[in-house]
Amino acid sequence: MEDDILPDYTRISSISGAFSGYNNVPRAILNNAASRGTQIHSIIKDLILDIPVEEERYLYNNVRMSGEIEQIYLKGYIDSFWKYWKTIETCGPTFPERMYEDILRTTGEVDLIAEYKGDRLLIDWKCTASKSESWAIQGNGYSILYEDNYCSVIDKILFVRLDKEGRDPEIVEIQHDVDLFHSAYEFYHRFFKNQRCNLEME
């Protein structure tokens, strides 16, 4: 379940999600993916903070379209995470609270901010089967939010796509492109937000 946000603010993920190609995916599948991702993110955060993770948290109850429940073992995603995390010498990783920006009235929550070789990294964990062009919108939206809230420059935007079998993750560096985000924002508010079906019902 998504957390509540202040009224009249738009989630960065809602803007990027409109361009993700998920429109035709059944809601039950999207809900499962979101819930599974939330569980994986929670485990990763605790591991980074050196908080013990009980073995049962690696099990996820996936609800199939038939209503049948199957348990999925999430350890592969975590093994993939470690393969990336152990390669960087991070300094003071932080987990910013939900951020708000009052001009465009957008909001978002960054997975992780970390320092590496003098660069400030904005890192977002992904558990999808493949990368998406919509990540460029999401990454730039988060970067704009962070820089507005903390008056600090993001040097690199990294989306880390974790492998469910535990293989090396795919590291996708998002190029800074403020104009891309602003264009997506305008299109979202004009064509996607509060969209309703206008077909005549016979």
Side-chain angles (χ1 to χ4, degrees):
M1 180 176 178
E2 292 187 327
D3 57 327
D4 293 330
I5 63 172
L6 297 179
D8 300 322
Y9 282 82
T10 302
R11 298 175 191 272
I12 298 294
S13 58
S14 295
I15 298 171
S16 62
F19 301 90
S20 66
Y22 293 156
N23 293 353
N24 296 322
V25 179
R27 175 54 56 182
I29 293 177
L30 290 177
N31 288 343
N32 260 328
S35 179
R36 183 174 63 249
T38 297
Q39 189 164 328
I40 293 169
H41 280 64
S42 175
I43 292 171
I44 289 174
K45 181 177 180 179
D46 284 353
L47 290 173
I48 291 174
L49 294 173
D50 290 326
I51 297 174
V53 176
E54 297 177 356
E55 186 67 21
E56 61 202 41
R57 289 179 62 191
Y58 292 106
L59 292 174
Y60 172 73
N61 291 325
N62 186 64
V63 182
R64 300 175 63 88
M65 293 291 290
S66 63
E68 179 185 359
I69 297 178
E70 62 175 347
Q71 283 197 324
I72 296 177
Y73 195 44
L74 304 178
K75 192 64 161 51
Y77 292 105
I78 306 306
D79 290 343
S80 186
F81 152 75
W82 279 123
K83 287 185 176 180
Y84 169 71
W85 193 247
K86 289 179 178 178
T87 65
I88 63 175
E89 298 173 3
T90 58
C91 177
T94 59
F95 305 88
E97 297 292 330
R98 173 167 292 280
M99 298 175 291
Y100 290 87
E101 190 273 322
D102 295 329
I103 296 177
L104 296 181
R105 299 187 74 78
T106 56
T107 180
E109 196 166 2
V110 175
D111 286 346
L112 178 69
I113 300 294
E115 303 286 337
Y116 178 60
K117 292 185 176 180
D119 288 334
R120 181 174 291 107
L121 312 180
L122 187 157
I123 298 175
D124 194 277
W125 312 112
K126 291 295 184 185
C127 307
T128 56
S130 60
K131 66 180 181 181
S132 170
E133 293 298 327
S134 66
W135 293 356
I137 298 170
Q138 186 179 11
N140 276 283
Y142 285 162
S143 179
I144 292 168
L145 261 182
Y146 182 86
E147 291 181 354
D148 179 77
N149 277 257
Y150 290 91
C151 298
S152 298
V153 172
I154 293 295
D155 298 298
K156 290 184 179 180
I157 306 169
L158 301 177
F159 276 44
V160 181
R161 190 181 68 80
L162 305 173
D163 183 83
K164 68 178 181 180
E165 302 297 335
R167 294 183 285 262
D168 289 340
E170 180 180 13
I171 314 301
V172 180
E173 182 170 354
I174 305 299
Q175 299 303 310
H176 285 82
D177 192 338
V178 173
D179 291 339
L180 172 68
F181 177 76
H182 285 162
S183 295
Y185 173 90
E186 294 296 335
F187 271 92
Y188 173 80
H189 278 270
R190 182 170 181 178
F191 297 108
F192 294 104
K193 188 176 183 181
N194 300 321
Q195 186 181 60
R196 297 288 184 272
C197 177
N198 65 355
L199 293 178
E200 292 185 5
M201 304 302 289
E202 296 184 357

